[in-house]
Amino acid sequence: MSELRETAMTSKAWPFEEARRLLKRYQKSPPEKGFVLFETGYGPSGLPHIGTFGEVARTTMVKRAFEALSDIPTKLICFSDDLDGMRKVPSNVPNPEALEAYLQQPLTSVPDPFGEYPSFGEHNNAMLRRFLDTFGFEYEFYSARDFYRSGQFDEILKRAVERYDDIMAIMLKSLREERQQTYSIFLPIHPETGRVLYVPMKKVCAETYTVTFDDEDGKEWTLPVTGGNVKLQWKPDFGARWAALGVDFEMYGKEHATNEKIYDAICRALGGRAPEHFSYELFLDENGQKISKSSGNGVSIDEWLTYAPTESLAYFMYQKPKTAKRMHFDVIPKAYDEYHQQLRAYPGQDLKAQLNNPVWHIHGGDVPESTLIVPFAMLLNLASVSGAEDKETLWGFIRRYAPEATAESHPDLDKAAGFAVRYFNDFVKPTRKHRAPTEQEREALEALKFALEAYDGPVEDEALQSVVYSIGRERFDPMRGWFTALYEVLLGASQGPRFGGFIALYGVPETIALIDKALAGDLA
C-alpha cells in the first residue's frame, strides 16, 4: 500500500471519511457495472445557484478521496430533472408574465425567456454545464427528458407497474389522509396539452404496462408508462433513478434527509441497492433565509466570480458542510485570504497535514503555489485609502513594497488587485464611514504620526507593526481599542489587516498624510 493511501485511510478530512464508508460497500467484491457511480441532482426550475455548484464540488471532493483510497474506476453524473412541471414562474427572468401560460408544462416544453435555447429547461441546463465545464469538473450530464424518452428508464418503469402496490404502500405512509386519496407515483403527461398531471390512477395494468386516468376535464386516457408518456413523482423518482443507474453515492441538502428512508425503500422495492448518503446543511442569505433558485436571493455563481476566483468558492464549500452557512458578499474576502493561507502552508506540511488541508481536496492533490504576497483584505484597504479605480493604481504601491513582483511572476496578486478594486467600488465604498477620533485616540494618532516622521528603520511589516504596537500599548488596555480606532478612523472600516503591513504597503509618508487628514476632520 502506498504511503498516500495508507495515510488517507486514517485522515479525518470529511471527504476521506465519506470515501472510506463508500469503500466498505465493495470490500467483498467490486461493482458489477465496473465502476463506482456518484450522482448529483439538479432541478432546473430556476437558474443554477451557488448551492448547485457546492453539491457538485463536494461530491467531486469525495470522488477524488475515493480514487486515492481505491483502484476501482469512478464516474460522476449530473442528473437534471428537466421533465418536471413548472410549478411557478421564477421572478428573476425577463418577461415572467409570458410564462404564465406554461404552468405545469415540463421545463423542457417551456419557452426560454432569454431567447437563447429551445426551452427554459435547456437554458438552465446549459447554464449549469457552462459553469461546471469552466471549473473543470469531470462529469456526464443526464437529462430526465432524454432518460425517460430514450427507453433507458423503461425497465424500471415497468417494474414500478409490477410492484405498484408495494411502492404505493411505502409512499402512502408518509402522506396526509387527504393526499392519500388522490396520490399516485405516476404523473401522466397529457397527450394534448403537454401538462404534467397530478391525478389519481383508475387502473395500473401490469400486463400492458399502461395507466388509465381521467384528465382535469373528465376525459379518460390510457397511456403506456414507457417512452416518456409519464414521469414519476419526485420521491419515487429519486429511488427509481438510483435503482436504474446503480448509484453508489449521492449527497443532498438537509431538506431531503427526512425522505431518505423513503428513497431507499423505493430503490430496494425496485430491485436496487440504496446508495451511501451525505446530507449537508443549507446556505442562507444575509437575512438568514434559505437561498432559492426561483427568488434569486443570496450570491449567484457569476456574482462570486466577479469578486474572487473559483478556488475561493470551492474553499468556502469545503468548510464544515454539516453547518449552515451565511452566503453573502461579505464572506468572500475571508474565504479568499484563508484559501491562500492554506496554499502557503501546504508545501511545509507532512503528508497527514496535507491530506487534511482543504487545498488537497480542491485541487485533487495537484496543489499550485500561491503568488498572493499581499492579502486580499489588505488590497481592499489599499483601494479604499488610495481611491483606486483600476488595479494599476494598486500596482503602483505593490511595486514599491515588493519590487520583484510583476503581473507575470505573481498572477494571483494581479488577479486579486483587479478583484479588490471591483469589490471595493461595489461594496465598501457605498457603505464606508469614517468617524472622528476620541481625545484619547487623537493623542495616540498624533504620537503615531510623530513616531513615523522620526522612523528611519526598514519599511517592513514587522518593524512597522512594532512601532504601531508600542504606541497603543502605552495608551490602550485592551489593545483591541487601538486597532479598532485605526480601522474606523483611518480606513472607515470595522476591521482590517495588521496595520504595520498596511503602512509598509501604502507607504510611510502616505500614512502620515492620512493621519493628518483624520486629525483635520477631512475623513469623517
Side-chain angles (χ1 to χ4, degrees):
M1 185 184 292
S2 69
E3 183 187 5
L4 171 64
R5 186 163 292 180
E6 189 174 347
T7 308
M9 282 293 186
T10 59
S11 173
K12 293 182 179 177
W14 69 262
F16 280 120
E17 291 180 339
E18 292 305 307
R20 287 195 297 270
R21 197 158 55 85
L22 183 54
L23 187 60
K24 288 179 182 177
R25 190 177 173 89
Y26 292 113
Q27 269 182 333
K28 294 181 180 178
S29 59
E32 289 183 14
K33 58 185 178 293
F35 55 87
V36 168
L37 183 60
F38 296 79
E39 183 187 50
T40 66
Y42 170 58
S45 56
L47 302 180
H49 65 75
I50 213 158
T52 312
F53 164 74
E55 189 167 303
V56 180
R58 287 167 169 170
T59 304
T60 297
M61 290 172 188
V62 178
K63 179 174 176 286
R64 286 170 174 165
F66 183 88
E67 290 163 354
L69 294 172
S70 172
D71 295 323
I72 302 174
T74 63
K75 185 187 289 188
L76 169 63
I77 63 172
C78 183
F79 195 103
S80 172
D81 190 12
D82 55 17
L83 204 56
D84 196 23
M86 183 173 69
R87 295 178 182 84
K88 63 178 182 177
V89 177
S91 58
N92 56 345
V93 298
N95 304 315
E97 61 281 353
L99 299 186
E100 291 288 346
Y102 295 92
L103 286 170
Q104 296 308 325
Q105 291 272 358
L107 291 160
T108 41
S109 299
V110 177
D112 177 17
F114 298 91
E116 298 171 0
Y117 293 88
S119 72
F120 188 38
E122 286 162 290
H123 175 274
N124 291 336
N125 287 343
M127 296 302 99
L128 174 71
R129 296 178 70 174
R130 183 195 70 182
F131 183 76
L132 299 182
D133 292 343
T134 300
F135 193 77
F137 287 116
E138 295 178 8
Y139 69 99
E140 291 183 18
F141 186 79
Y142 275 57
S143 157
R145 179 186 63 175
D146 298 342
F147 196 60
Y148 274 89
R149 289 183 180 176
S150 67
Q152 284 179 278
F153 215 9
D154 282 357
E155 182 185 341
I156 287 294
L157 288 167
K158 288 179 178 179
R159 204 173 298 164
V161 172
E162 294 166 357
R163 303 175 187 179
Y164 182 75
D165 291 341
D166 294 338
I167 299 171
M168 281 292 288
I170 294 168
M171 285 305 308
L172 291 176
K173 283 189 290 187
S174 69
L175 302 175
R176 297 189 308 273
E177 186 176 350
E178 182 183 349
R179 183 93 198 280
Q180 290 176 355
Q181 308 307 315
T182 59
Y183 183 84
S184 169
I185 62 170
F186 293 114
L187 301 178
I189 298 175
H190 200 289
E192 293 177 346
T193 67
R195 287 162 59 90
V196 179
L197 300 180
Y198 288 77
V199 292
M201 296 297 105
K202 295 173 74 174
K203 184 179 181 182
V204 176
C205 182
E207 295 174 0
T208 58
Y209 297 111
T210 58
V211 292
T212 301
F213 60 93
D214 289 341
D215 66 16
E216 292 144 318
D217 296 325
K219 183 178 179 181
E220 183 178 282
W221 297 87
T222 297
L223 296 177
V225 296
T226 54
N229 288 290
V230 306
K231 75 177 297 289
L232 289 167
Q233 290 257 21
W234 68 275
K235 290 179 188 177
D237 186 82
F238 244 92
R241 193 193 312 160
W242 290 346
L245 294 168
V247 174
D248 292 300
F249 181 90
E250 179 150 359
M251 65 167 59
Y252 33 67
K254 75 168 188 178
E255 73 271 28
H256 286 280
T258 54
N259 298 317
E260 202 170 90
K261 291 181 179 179
I262 296 172
Y263 304 154
D264 286 353
I266 290 171
C267 179
R268 287 191 287 265
L270 291 169
R273 182 183 182 186
E276 305 302 318
H277 314 294
F278 182 88
S279 174
Y280 57 83
E281 266 288 355
L282 303 178
F283 297 108
L284 310 175
D285 66 13
E286 61 179 319
N287 300 314
Q289 300 298 311
K290 177 191 168 187
I291 288 177
S292 159
K293 289 192 293 287
S294 58
S295 60
N297 59 332
V299 183
S300 73
I301 290 168
D302 289 333
E303 285 169 335
W304 185 292
L305 298 184
T306 300
Y307 305 107
T310 49
E311 295 81 7
S312 63
L313 176 55
Y315 173 83
F316 183 85
M317 294 298 172
Y318 177 88
Q319 297 298 315
K320 298 180 180 178
K322 293 283 190 180
T323 302
K325 286 205 276 291
R326 222 174 111 270
M327 172 70 80
H328 194 55
F329 292 100
D330 56 5
V331 306
I332 294 175
K334 185 172 183 282
Y336 202 154
D337 277 336
E338 286 183 0
Y339 163 70
H340 278 278
Q341 287 168 12
Q342 297 288 3
L343 278 186
R344 288 190 290 272
Y346 186 83
Q349 294 175 326
D350 62 19
L351 184 57
K352 179 181 178 181
Q354 286 182 336
L355 295 185
N356 285 330
N357 189 323
V359 299
W360 189 96
H361 301 275
I362 293 166
H363 296 284
D366 186 15
V367 178
E369 177 188 1
S370 171
T371 59
L372 184 66
I373 58 174
V374 179
F376 185 65
M378 185 85 81
L379 292 171
L380 282 177
N381 290 122
L382 184 59
S384 179
V385 297
S386 66
E389 295 294 330
D390 55 55
K391 67 179 179 181
E392 190 52 41
T393 303
L394 299 190
W395 268 106
F397 295 97
I398 293 167
R399 289 190 191 96
R400 188 176 58 190
Y401 174 75
E404 76 286 357
T406 65
E408 292 71 33
S409 66
H410 291 70
D412 291 335
L413 180 57
D414 186 55
K415 283 192 292 186
F419 284 133
V421 170
R422 211 172 295 148
Y423 189 96
F424 164 70
N425 280 293
D426 289 352
F427 296 110
V428 180
K429 191 175 181 179
T431 60
R432 180 178 48 167
K433 189 175 182 181
H434 295 81
R435 67 170 175 83
T438 65
E439 284 304 313
Q440 180 193 22
E441 293 165 351
R442 173 177 288 276
E443 190 272 326
L445 286 168
E446 288 173 344
L448 177 59
K449 173 192 168 185
F450 294 142
L452 291 176
E453 287 174 336
Y455 183 76
D456 60 359
V459 182
E460 295 174 353
D461 300 15
E462 291 302 324
L464 288 163
Q465 182 71 6
S466 295
V467 174
V468 175
Y469 196 86
S470 65
I471 298 294
R473 187 173 50 200
E474 296 171 7
R475 296 165 175 83
F476 292 85
D477 184 21
M479 282 284 285
R480 179 185 295 274
W482 170 226
F483 292 106
T484 300
L486 290 171
Y487 303 143
E488 293 180 352
V489 174
L490 299 181
L491 303 181
S494 58
Q495 55 188 351
R498 282 168 60 84
F499 207 75
F502 172 77
I503 297 171
L505 179 61
Y506 187 46
V508 173
E510 288 79 2
T511 304
I512 292 168
L514 183 65
I515 294 172
D516 278 336
K517 282 186 177 181
L519 294 174
D522 294 339
L523 296 180

